Amino acid sequence: MALLTLDEAKAQLNLTTVTHDVELQAYIDSITAMVEWYVGPVEPRTVTETVNGRGPTLALSQIPVVSLTSIVPILAGGLALDVADLVVDGTHGIVRRVTGDVFYGGPWTVLYAAGRETVPPTLNLAGRMLIQHLWRTQQGPGRPGLGGADDFDVTQPVPGFGYAVPNRVLQLLQPYRLPPGVA
């Protein structure tokens, strides 16, 4: 599963040959990183991280969380927890014990899958529009037939993105935006 496939990008750009496939794939890989910076992982991936914490919850840094594989204490002598005894709030990356007991004996090494099981159509459309916006740099200034500026031009830099991401793409990404403080 990908945010945007090569065939989808070519359809958005009305490209029918393989002439630009290698270069276009580089653009696709780049926009995936840009979108995921804003909304978190889109393409599923395995994450291993160290989580500190004692108390009723553990917070994972990569959201959304698709599934939890294991939680093992780093300190010698600790016992791994059975994931069947844990509940994960995938949207927020919060892990709780089914019994309500606290976590102790950490820090923990947590292995889990982050991303989305399917790419929401809105994120795919944002990817299509972003690839179209960036691909226009290949056409150079004075694009014939467009009469100068058009609705893909970005006249004001967007914080964190500069001129690379038009506002229309950010508006599509907004419902999926990571909450403050999540990296």
Side-chain angles (χ1 to χ4, degrees):
M1 180 188 66
L3 170 65
L4 185 65
T5 67
L6 181 61
D7 287 341
E8 290 169 333
K10 289 173 75 169
Q12 183 72 21
L13 299 172
N14 295 318
L15 297 175
T16 57
T17 69
V18 297
T19 306
H20 303 288
D21 283 6
V22 171
E23 184 178 13
L24 187 54
Q25 187 61 54
Y27 276 69
I28 292 167
D29 295 342
S30 296
I31 67 152
T32 298
M34 292 170 70
V35 169
E36 288 185 341
W37 178 83
Y38 199 75
V39 303
V42 175
E43 300 176 3
R45 66 192 52 141
T46 300
V47 177
T48 303
E49 72 177 274
T50 300
V51 178
N52 291 311
R54 292 181 190 268
T57 63
L58 295 177
L60 305 176
S61 65
Q62 298 285 317
I63 60 172
V65 175
V66 177
S67 64
L68 185 61
T69 305
S70 67
I71 295 184
V72 179
I74 293 175
L75 300 175
L79 297 175
L81 299 175
D82 186 345
V83 293
D85 296 333
L86 305 171
V87 176
V88 180
D89 173 346
T91 302
H92 299 101
I94 302 297
V95 180
R96 292 181 171 83
R97 297 179 89 161
V98 172
T99 61
D101 291 342
V102 297
F103 289 93
Y104 56 90
W108 307 86
T109 298
V110 183
L111 180 64
Y112 62 100
R116 290 166 169 83
E117 293 181 29
T118 60
V119 176
T122 305
L123 292 183
N124 179 269
L125 177 60
R128 289 172 184 252
M129 293 174 75
L130 184 52
I131 202 91
Q132 186 174 7
H133 172 74
L134 295 175
W135 192 254
R136 285 174 176 245
T137 62
Q138 297 297 83
Q139 297 174 352
R143 299 180 293 265
L146 293 179
D150 65 13
D151 62 354
F152 277 93
D153 287 338
V154 179
T155 57
Q156 296 294 318
V158 177
F161 290 103
Y163 293 94
V165 181
N167 289 330
R168 66 179 57 219
V169 171
L170 290 175
Q171 289 172 338
L172 289 169
L173 298 177
Q174 186 61 38
Y176 302 93
R177 186 173 185 178
L178 289 172
V182 175

